[in-house]
Amino acid sequence: MGSLQLLPPTASAHAADMDWLFAALLGTSAFILLLVFGLMILFCVRYRKNSKVERGNRLGRTWRVEVAWTTATFIAFLGLYFWGAELYVDIHSPPKDATDIYVVGKQWMWKIEHPGGQREIDTLHVPVGRPVRLVLTSEDVIHDFAIPAFRIRQDALPGRYETLWFTPTEVGDYRLFCAEFCGTWHARMGGSVVVMQPSDFQRWLDSQDPGPSLAQEGEALFRSYGCSGCHGGAGTVRAPRLEGLFGRPVPLEDGRTVIADDRYIRDSILMPKAEIAAGYPPVMPSFAGQIGEDDLLKLVAYIKSLADGTAGTSQAGSVERPAQ
Ligand code: HEC
Ligand SMILES: [Cu+2]
Protein backbone atom coordinates (compact mmCIF):
# COMPACT_ATOMS: atom_id res chain seq x y z
CA MET A 1 0.00 0.00 0.00
CA GLY A 2 0.98 3.62 0.13
CA SER A 3 2.14 3.62 -3.47
CA LEU A 4 0.42 6.16 -5.64
CA GLN A 5 -1.10 4.36 -8.59
CA LEU A 6 -2.11 6.76 -11.32
CA LEU A 7 -3.31 4.17 -13.80
CA PRO A 8 -5.36 1.03 -13.19
CA PRO A 9 -3.56 -2.31 -13.67
CA THR A 10 -2.99 -3.33 -17.28
CA ALA A 11 -4.71 -6.66 -17.83
CA SER A 12 -5.64 -6.90 -21.50
CA ALA A 13 -3.82 -7.19 -24.78
CA HIS A 14 -4.86 -3.67 -25.76
CA ALA A 15 -4.09 -2.00 -22.47
CA ALA A 16 -0.43 -1.24 -23.18
CA ASP A 17 -1.19 0.18 -26.66
CA MET A 18 -3.87 2.35 -25.13
CA ASP A 19 -1.45 3.64 -22.50
CA TRP A 20 1.13 4.48 -25.16
CA LEU A 21 -1.44 6.45 -27.10
CA PHE A 22 -2.50 8.19 -23.92
CA ALA A 23 1.10 9.03 -23.08
CA ALA A 24 1.69 10.38 -26.58
CA LEU A 25 -1.40 12.60 -26.41
CA LEU A 26 -0.45 13.82 -22.97
CA GLY A 27 3.15 14.41 -24.08
CA THR A 28 2.13 16.33 -27.21
CA SER A 29 -0.36 18.46 -25.29
CA ALA A 30 2.19 19.19 -22.56
CA PHE A 31 4.78 20.16 -25.18
CA ILE A 32 2.40 22.59 -26.91
CA LEU A 33 1.26 23.98 -23.57
CA LEU A 34 4.82 24.62 -22.42
CA LEU A 35 5.78 26.12 -25.77
CA VAL A 36 2.87 28.57 -25.85
CA PHE A 37 3.08 29.57 -22.21
CA GLY A 38 6.89 29.66 -22.33
CA LEU A 39 6.82 32.11 -25.24
CA MET A 40 4.10 34.15 -23.58
CA ILE A 41 6.11 34.53 -20.39
CA LEU A 42 9.30 35.17 -22.34
CA PHE A 43 7.70 37.99 -24.33
CA CYS A 44 6.03 39.43 -21.22
CA VAL A 45 9.41 39.73 -19.57
CA ARG A 46 11.39 40.78 -22.60
CA TYR A 47 9.00 43.46 -23.77
CA ARG A 48 7.93 44.70 -20.35
CA LYS A 49 7.53 48.47 -19.91
CA ASN A 50 10.82 50.41 -20.10
CA SER A 51 12.93 47.40 -21.09
CA LYS A 52 15.73 48.29 -23.48
CA VAL A 53 15.03 46.12 -26.51
CA GLU A 54 14.54 46.78 -30.18
CA ARG A 55 10.85 47.47 -30.85
CA GLY A 56 11.07 48.71 -34.40
CA ASN A 57 9.13 47.14 -37.26
CA ARG A 58 10.70 44.02 -38.66
CA LEU A 59 11.93 44.50 -42.16
CA GLY A 60 12.54 40.94 -43.29
CA ARG A 61 9.54 38.69 -43.82
CA THR A 62 9.50 34.97 -44.46
CA TRP A 63 6.80 32.40 -44.91
CA ARG A 64 9.15 29.57 -44.17
CA VAL A 65 8.65 29.49 -40.40
CA GLU A 66 4.89 29.79 -40.82
CA VAL A 67 4.74 26.99 -43.34
CA ALA A 68 7.12 24.80 -41.37
CA TRP A 69 5.28 24.89 -38.06
CA THR A 70 1.86 24.56 -39.67
CA THR A 71 2.98 21.48 -41.60
CA ALA A 72 4.77 19.98 -38.62
CA THR A 73 1.79 20.27 -36.26
CA PHE A 74 -0.56 19.09 -38.99
CA ILE A 75 1.49 15.95 -39.58
CA ALA A 76 1.94 15.32 -35.87
CA PHE A 77 -1.77 15.55 -35.11
CA LEU A 78 -2.76 13.58 -38.19
CA GLY A 79 -0.37 10.88 -36.99
CA LEU A 80 -2.05 10.85 -33.58
CA TYR A 81 -5.43 10.66 -35.27
CA PHE A 82 -4.50 7.62 -37.37
CA TRP A 83 -2.87 5.95 -34.41
CA GLY A 84 -6.04 6.41 -32.33
CA ALA A 85 -8.36 5.46 -35.21
CA GLU A 86 -6.42 2.26 -35.84
CA LEU A 87 -6.73 1.25 -32.20
CA TYR A 88 -10.42 2.15 -32.18
CA VAL A 89 -11.14 0.08 -35.28
CA ASP A 90 -9.11 -2.78 -33.85
CA ILE A 91 -11.04 -3.03 -30.57
CA HIS A 92 -14.27 -3.06 -32.57
CA SER A 93 -13.16 -5.78 -35.01
CA PRO A 94 -13.13 -9.02 -33.04
CA PRO A 95 -11.17 -12.03 -34.31
CA LYS A 96 -13.20 -14.94 -35.70
CA ASP A 97 -12.42 -17.30 -32.83
CA ALA A 98 -13.64 -14.92 -30.09
CA THR A 99 -16.24 -16.23 -27.65
CA ASP A 100 -19.47 -14.22 -27.67
CA ILE A 101 -20.72 -12.95 -24.35
CA TYR A 102 -23.97 -11.00 -24.26
CA VAL A 103 -24.31 -8.06 -21.92
CA VAL A 104 -27.60 -6.29 -21.25
CA GLY A 105 -27.54 -3.11 -19.18
CA LYS A 106 -30.58 -2.28 -17.11
CA GLN A 107 -31.25 0.19 -14.31
CA TRP A 108 -29.13 -0.67 -12.33
CA MET A 109 -27.36 -3.89 -13.14
CA TRP A 110 -25.43 -5.72 -15.83
CA LYS A 111 -27.00 -8.97 -16.98
CA ILE A 112 -24.49 -11.28 -18.60
CA GLU A 113 -25.19 -14.41 -20.62
CA HIS A 114 -22.61 -16.92 -21.78
CA PRO A 115 -23.19 -18.82 -25.02
CA GLY A 116 -23.63 -22.06 -23.05
CA GLY A 117 -26.62 -20.55 -21.22
CA GLN A 118 -24.79 -19.62 -18.01
CA ARG A 119 -26.04 -16.36 -16.59
CA GLU A 120 -24.61 -13.94 -14.12
CA ILE A 121 -25.35 -10.48 -12.80
CA ASP A 122 -22.71 -7.79 -12.19
CA THR A 123 -19.92 -10.34 -12.44
CA LEU A 124 -18.17 -11.44 -15.60
CA HIS A 125 -16.07 -14.61 -15.61
CA VAL A 126 -13.63 -14.95 -18.51
CA PRO A 127 -10.66 -17.19 -19.29
CA VAL A 128 -7.18 -15.66 -19.51
CA GLY A 129 -5.52 -15.45 -22.93
CA ARG A 130 -8.69 -16.04 -24.98
CA PRO A 131 -10.37 -13.35 -27.03
CA VAL A 132 -13.85 -12.42 -25.81
CA ARG A 133 -16.36 -10.54 -27.92
CA LEU A 134 -18.99 -8.57 -26.04
CA VAL A 135 -22.36 -7.87 -27.59
CA LEU A 136 -23.84 -4.99 -25.63
CA THR A 137 -27.30 -3.55 -25.45
CA SER A 138 -29.57 -1.84 -22.94
CA GLU A 139 -33.11 -2.47 -21.82
CA ASP A 140 -33.85 1.09 -20.78
CA VAL A 141 -31.50 4.09 -20.88
CA ILE A 142 -27.94 4.57 -22.09
CA HIS A 143 -25.38 2.79 -19.91
CA ASP A 144 -21.68 2.38 -20.48
CA PHE A 145 -19.79 -0.83 -19.89
CA ALA A 146 -16.32 0.00 -18.61
CA ILE A 147 -13.44 -2.16 -17.44
CA PRO A 148 -10.55 0.21 -16.69
CA ALA A 149 -7.96 -2.58 -16.29
CA PHE A 150 -8.70 -3.67 -19.88
CA ARG A 151 -8.87 -0.04 -21.07
CA ILE A 152 -12.25 -0.63 -22.66
CA ARG A 153 -15.52 1.19 -22.35
CA GLN A 154 -18.47 1.19 -24.66
CA ASP A 155 -21.93 2.74 -24.47
CA ALA A 156 -24.76 0.23 -24.21
CA LEU A 157 -27.59 1.79 -26.19
CA PRO A 158 -31.24 0.78 -26.08
CA GLY A 159 -32.31 -0.67 -29.41
CA ARG A 160 -28.82 -1.33 -30.75
CA TYR A 161 -26.03 -3.84 -30.52
CA GLU A 162 -22.52 -2.60 -29.93
CA THR A 163 -19.62 -4.98 -30.06
CA LEU A 164 -16.09 -4.81 -28.82
CA TRP A 165 -13.54 -7.35 -27.78
CA PHE A 166 -10.61 -7.89 -25.48
CA THR A 167 -8.12 -10.58 -24.53
CA PRO A 168 -7.43 -10.68 -20.79
CA THR A 169 -3.74 -11.21 -20.07
CA GLU A 170 -3.59 -11.47 -16.26
CA VAL A 171 -5.52 -13.72 -13.91
CA GLY A 172 -7.26 -11.69 -11.20
CA ASP A 173 -10.27 -9.65 -10.13
CA TYR A 174 -10.93 -6.31 -11.77
CA ARG A 175 -13.54 -3.63 -11.32
CA LEU A 176 -16.45 -3.23 -13.67
CA PHE A 177 -18.35 0.06 -13.89
CA CYS A 178 -21.24 1.80 -15.55
CA ALA A 179 -19.57 4.90 -16.95
CA GLU A 180 -22.64 6.80 -18.13
CA PHE A 181 -24.90 8.56 -15.65
CA CYS A 182 -28.09 6.53 -15.82
CA GLY A 183 -30.24 7.43 -12.82
CA THR A 184 -30.44 7.23 -9.03
CA TRP A 185 -28.26 4.19 -8.43
CA HIS A 186 -25.85 4.75 -11.28
CA ALA A 187 -22.95 4.85 -8.83
CA ARG A 188 -23.79 1.36 -7.61
CA MET A 189 -24.10 -0.11 -11.08
CA GLY A 190 -20.97 -2.16 -11.40
CA GLY A 191 -19.26 -5.26 -10.18
CA SER A 192 -16.24 -7.30 -11.02
CA VAL A 193 -14.53 -9.15 -13.80
CA VAL A 194 -12.95 -12.44 -12.78
CA VAL A 195 -10.16 -13.59 -15.08
CA MET A 196 -9.39 -17.29 -14.59
CA GLN A 197 -7.08 -19.96 -15.97
CA PRO A 198 -8.90 -21.69 -18.86
CA SER A 199 -9.17 -24.93 -16.86
CA ASP A 200 -10.62 -23.10 -13.84
CA PHE A 201 -12.96 -21.25 -16.15
CA GLN A 202 -14.16 -24.51 -17.67
CA ARG A 203 -14.76 -25.85 -14.18
CA TRP A 204 -16.67 -22.69 -13.30
CA LEU A 205 -18.81 -23.03 -16.44
CA ASP A 206 -19.55 -26.66 -15.59
CA SER A 207 -20.45 -25.80 -12.00
CA GLN A 208 -23.05 -23.26 -13.13
CA ASP A 209 -26.50 -24.57 -13.82
CA PRO A 210 -26.58 -23.70 -17.48
CA GLY A 211 -30.15 -24.41 -18.38
CA PRO A 212 -30.80 -24.34 -22.09
CA SER A 213 -28.26 -22.44 -24.20
CA LEU A 214 -29.22 -19.12 -25.70
CA ALA A 215 -29.54 -20.73 -29.11
CA GLN A 216 -31.82 -23.49 -27.79
CA GLU A 217 -34.05 -20.96 -26.07
CA GLY A 218 -34.01 -18.96 -29.26
CA GLU A 219 -35.16 -21.99 -31.21
CA ALA A 220 -38.16 -22.39 -28.90
CA LEU A 221 -38.97 -18.69 -29.30
CA PHE A 222 -38.60 -19.01 -33.05
CA ARG A 223 -41.55 -21.35 -32.92
CA SER A 224 -43.60 -19.58 -30.25
CA TYR A 225 -43.38 -16.19 -31.99
CA GLY A 226 -44.46 -17.86 -35.21
CA CYS A 227 -41.25 -17.18 -37.14
CA SER A 228 -40.99 -20.81 -38.17
CA GLY A 229 -44.41 -20.57 -39.82
CA CYS A 230 -42.88 -18.47 -42.58
CA HIS A 231 -39.18 -19.26 -42.31
CA GLY A 232 -39.55 -22.99 -41.72
CA GLY A 233 -39.88 -23.70 -45.42
CA ALA A 234 -43.19 -25.50 -45.21
CA GLY A 235 -45.47 -22.44 -45.08
CA THR A 236 -47.32 -20.79 -47.92
CA VAL A 237 -45.39 -17.52 -47.60
CA ARG A 238 -42.16 -17.33 -49.53
CA ALA A 239 -39.62 -16.33 -46.87
CA PRO A 240 -35.85 -16.80 -46.90
CA ARG A 241 -34.42 -19.78 -45.04
CA LEU A 242 -32.14 -18.55 -42.31
CA GLU A 243 -29.57 -21.36 -42.40
CA GLY A 244 -26.17 -20.04 -43.35
CA LEU A 245 -27.41 -16.46 -43.20
CA PHE A 246 -25.22 -15.14 -40.43
CA GLY A 247 -22.03 -13.46 -41.56
CA ARG A 248 -22.94 -13.60 -45.27
CA PRO A 249 -23.53 -10.64 -47.54
CA VAL A 250 -27.27 -10.20 -48.24
CA PRO A 251 -28.40 -8.47 -51.44
CA LEU A 252 -31.30 -6.13 -50.67
CA GLU A 253 -34.28 -5.18 -52.81
CA ASP A 254 -33.04 -1.59 -53.10
CA GLY A 255 -29.76 -2.76 -54.62
CA ARG A 256 -27.55 -2.41 -51.56
CA THR A 257 -25.72 -5.36 -50.04
CA VAL A 258 -25.31 -5.69 -46.30
CA ILE A 259 -23.52 -8.19 -44.08
CA ALA A 260 -25.92 -10.26 -41.97
CA ASP A 261 -24.47 -9.42 -38.56
CA ASP A 262 -26.19 -9.08 -35.18
CA ARG A 263 -27.45 -5.65 -36.14
CA TYR A 264 -28.96 -6.83 -39.41
CA ILE A 265 -30.79 -9.76 -37.81
CA ARG A 266 -32.07 -7.57 -35.00
CA ASP A 267 -33.29 -4.87 -37.39
CA SER A 268 -34.87 -7.51 -39.63
CA ILE A 269 -37.02 -8.54 -36.68
CA LEU A 270 -37.89 -5.06 -35.41
CA MET A 271 -37.99 -3.09 -38.67
CA PRO A 272 -38.44 -5.62 -41.47
CA LYS A 273 -39.46 -2.92 -43.96
CA ALA A 274 -36.15 -1.07 -43.65
CA GLU A 275 -34.08 -3.75 -45.38
CA ILE A 276 -35.96 -6.14 -47.62
CA ALA A 277 -34.02 -9.19 -48.79
CA ALA A 278 -33.91 -9.13 -52.62
CA GLY A 279 -36.48 -11.31 -54.32
CA TYR A 280 -38.85 -11.69 -51.38
CA PRO A 281 -42.21 -10.00 -50.72
CA PRO A 282 -42.14 -7.41 -47.90
CA VAL A 283 -44.68 -9.28 -45.83
CA MET A 284 -42.80 -9.89 -42.60
CA PRO A 285 -44.59 -8.11 -39.73
CA SER A 286 -42.59 -5.94 -37.32
CA PHE A 287 -42.07 -7.44 -33.89
CA ALA A 288 -41.10 -4.11 -32.30
CA GLY A 289 -42.60 -3.79 -28.83
CA GLN A 290 -43.46 -7.48 -28.67
CA ILE A 291 -40.04 -9.02 -28.18
CA GLY A 292 -37.86 -7.83 -25.29
CA GLU A 293 -34.06 -7.48 -25.39
CA ASP A 294 -33.52 -10.84 -23.69
CA ASP A 295 -35.61 -12.70 -26.25
CA LEU A 296 -34.06 -10.79 -29.14
CA LEU A 297 -30.61 -11.90 -28.02
CA LYS A 298 -31.83 -15.50 -27.95
CA LEU A 299 -33.36 -15.28 -31.42
CA VAL A 300 -30.16 -13.75 -32.78
CA ALA A 301 -28.11 -16.46 -31.06
CA TYR A 302 -30.34 -19.10 -32.64
CA ILE A 303 -30.10 -17.65 -36.14
CA LYS A 304 -26.36 -17.35 -35.65
CA SER A 305 -26.16 -21.00 -34.60
CA LEU A 306 -27.88 -21.98 -37.84
CA ALA A 307 -24.87 -20.59 -39.67
CA ASP A 308 -22.15 -22.53 -37.90
CA GLY A 309 -24.09 -25.67 -37.17
CA THR A 310 -24.07 -25.44 -33.37
CA ALA A 311 -27.85 -25.50 -33.08
CA GLY A 312 -27.83 -29.23 -32.57
CA THR A 313 -31.40 -29.86 -33.59
CA SER A 314 -33.95 -29.45 -36.37
CA GLN A 315 -33.06 -27.99 -39.74
CA ALA A 316 -29.50 -26.92 -38.93
CA GLY A 317 -27.14 -26.95 -41.85
CA SER A 318 -29.52 -28.53 -44.33
CA VAL A 319 -30.30 -25.88 -46.89
CA GLU A 320 -27.69 -23.64 -48.47
CA ARG A 321 -28.69 -20.14 -49.40
CA PRO A 322 -28.78 -19.66 -53.14
CA ALA A 323 -25.75 -17.71 -54.31
CA GLN A 324 -27.06 -14.46 -55.74
C1 HEC B 1 -45.46 -13.55 -42.32
C2 HEC B 1 -44.27 -14.32 -42.52
C3 HEC B 1 -43.06 -14.03 -41.65
C4 HEC B 1 -42.96 -14.11 -40.28
C5 HEC B 1 -44.05 -14.48 -39.27
C6 HEC B 1 -41.61 -13.81 -39.95
N1 HEC B 1 -40.89 -13.52 -41.08
FE1 HEC B 1 -38.92 -13.02 -41.17
N2 HEC B 1 -39.11 -12.63 -43.17
C7 HEC B 1 -40.24 -12.89 -43.94
C8 HEC B 1 -39.98 -12.50 -45.32
C9 HEC B 1 -40.97 -12.60 -46.48
C10 HEC B 1 -38.66 -12.00 -45.35
C11 HEC B 1 -37.90 -11.47 -46.58
C12 HEC B 1 -38.27 -10.05 -46.87
C13 HEC B 1 -37.67 -9.11 -45.86
O1 HEC B 1 -36.44 -9.03 -45.79
O2 HEC B 1 -38.43 -8.47 -45.12
C14 HEC B 1 -38.14 -12.10 -43.98
C15 HEC B 1 -36.86 -11.75 -43.59
C16 HEC B 1 -36.29 -12.08 -42.38
C17 HEC B 1 -34.90 -11.96 -42.07
C18 HEC B 1 -33.83 -11.48 -43.02
C19 HEC B 1 -33.47 -12.71 -43.84
C20 HEC B 1 -32.54 -12.54 -44.99
O3 HEC B 1 -32.31 -13.53 -45.69
O4 HEC B 1 -32.04 -11.44 -45.21
C21 HEC B 1 -34.73 -12.40 -40.78
C22 HEC B 1 -33.43 -12.50 -40.01
C23 HEC B 1 -36.03 -12.78 -40.30
N3 HEC B 1 -36.95 -12.59 -41.29
C24 HEC B 1 -36.28 -13.29 -39.03
C25 HEC B 1 -37.56 -13.54 -38.53
C26 HEC B 1 -37.82 -13.85 -37.15
C27 HEC B 1 -36.79 -14.03 -36.05
C28 HEC B 1 -39.18 -13.97 -37.04
C29 HEC B 1 -39.99 -14.24 -35.78
C30 HEC B 1 -39.79 -13.30 -34.68
C31 HEC B 1 -39.74 -13.75 -38.36
N4 HEC B 1 -38.72 -13.48 -39.23
C32 HEC B 1 -41.09 -13.81 -38.65
C33 HEC B 1 -41.43 -13.42 -43.48
C34 HEC B 1 -41.75 -13.64 -42.14
CU1 LIG C 1 -25.90 2.47 -15.95
Side-chain angles (χ1 to χ4, degrees), residues 140-155:
D140 36 47
V141 298
I142 300 177
H143 299 280
D144 188 294
F145 191 79
I147 308 172
F150 295 172
R151 306 291 188 278
I152 56 168
R153 51 182 292 178
Q154 172 64 54
D155 277 3

Side-chain angles (χ1 to χ4, degrees), residues 213-225:
S213 74
L214 284 179
Q216 284 164 342
E217 286 188 285
E219 182 172 14
L221 292 172
F222 197 70
R223 267 180 263 110
S224 62
Y225 282 116

Side-chain angles (χ1 to χ4, degrees), residues 29-66:
S29 311
F31 173 73
I32 305 273
L33 191 84
L34 289 178
L35 185 72
V36 170
F37 275 81
L39 286 174
M40 256 164 70
I41 292 167
L42 182 79
F43 288 140
C44 282
V45 173
R46 195 173 148 83
Y47 296 101
R48 70 190 182 279
K49 199 173 175 194
N50 299 333
S51 67
K52 304 232 170 335
V53 279
E54 171 65 63
R55 287 165 207 261
N57 286 330
R58 282 189 58 194
L59 299 175
R61 268 173 199 278
T62 167
W63 288 106
R64 289 217 188 110
V65 182
E66 190 88 0

Side-chain angles (χ1 to χ4, degrees), residues 14 85-95 133 153-155 162-165:
H14 285 122
E86 201 217 327
L87 210 52
Y88 179 88
V89 169
D90 189 48
I91 61 173
H92 288 89
S93 334
R133 171 175 179 264
R153 51 182 292 178
Q154 172 64 54
D155 277 3
E162 297 292 338
T163 57
L164 78 165
W165 72 284

Side-chain angles (χ1 to χ4, degrees), residues 195-212:
V195 180
M196 309 167 101
Q197 288 297 344
S199 53
D200 293 340
F201 178 68
Q202 194 53 48
R203 219 166 298 134
W204 176 83
L205 278 183
D206 295 341
S207 72
Q208 298 303 106
D209 177 22

Side-chain angles (χ1 to χ4, degrees), residues 99-278:
T99 315
D100 279 351
I101 295 184
Y102 295 88
V103 178
V104 181
K106 173 182 177 204
Q107 285 170 325
W108 287 277
M109 63 172 89
W110 292 109
K111 296 197 283 182
I112 291 160
E113 308 201 345
H114 293 264
Q118 294 85 353
R119 262 149 257 246
E120 38 186 347
I121 286 179
D122 288 347
T123 315
L124 170 62
H125 286 78
V126 285
V128 72
R130 306 267 168 88
V132 170
R133 171 175 179 264
L134 298 173
V135 180
L136 285 165
T137 186
S138 163
E139 267 183 35
D140 36 47
V141 298
I142 300 177
H143 299 280
D144 188 294
F145 191 79
I147 308 172
F150 295 172
R151 306 291 188 278
I152 56 168
R153 51 182 292 178
Q154 172 64 54
D155 277 3
L157 304 169
R160 265 180 77 163
Y161 289 147
E162 297 292 338
T163 57
L164 78 165
W165 72 284
F166 59 84
T167 304
T169 50
E170 304 279 338
V171 170
D173 278 21
Y174 305 98
R175 296 287 305 277
L176 161 66
F177 295 95
C178 176
E180 178 69 52
F181 181 68
C182 59
T184 317
W185 297 119
H186 160 70
R188 290 202 190 162
M189 183 169 167
S192 61
V193 181
V194 184
V195 180
M196 309 167 101
Q197 288 297 344
S199 53
D200 293 340
F201 178 68
Q202 194 53 48
R203 219 166 298 134
W204 176 83
L205 278 183
D206 295 341
S207 72
Q208 298 303 106
D209 177 22
S213 74
L214 284 179
Q216 284 164 342
E217 286 188 285
E219 182 172 14
L221 292 172
F222 197 70
R223 267 180 263 110
S224 62
Y225 282 116
C227 320
S228 52
C230 294
H231 289 284
T236 46
V237 181
R238 218 166 63 81
R241 301 289 306 230
L242 304 179
E243 287 84 357
L245 170 66
F246 194 81
R248 297 275 182 82
V250 179
L252 300 181
E253 197 62 45
D254 61 12
R256 285 178 303 144
T257 299
V258 294
I259 298 290
D261 53 6
D262 305 71
R263 188 219 45 93
Y264 174 74
I265 309 260
R266 181 203 165 85
D267 288 352
S268 294
I269 300 171
L270 299 181
M271 313 179 274
K273 300 279 180 292
E275 289 161 317
I276 309 281

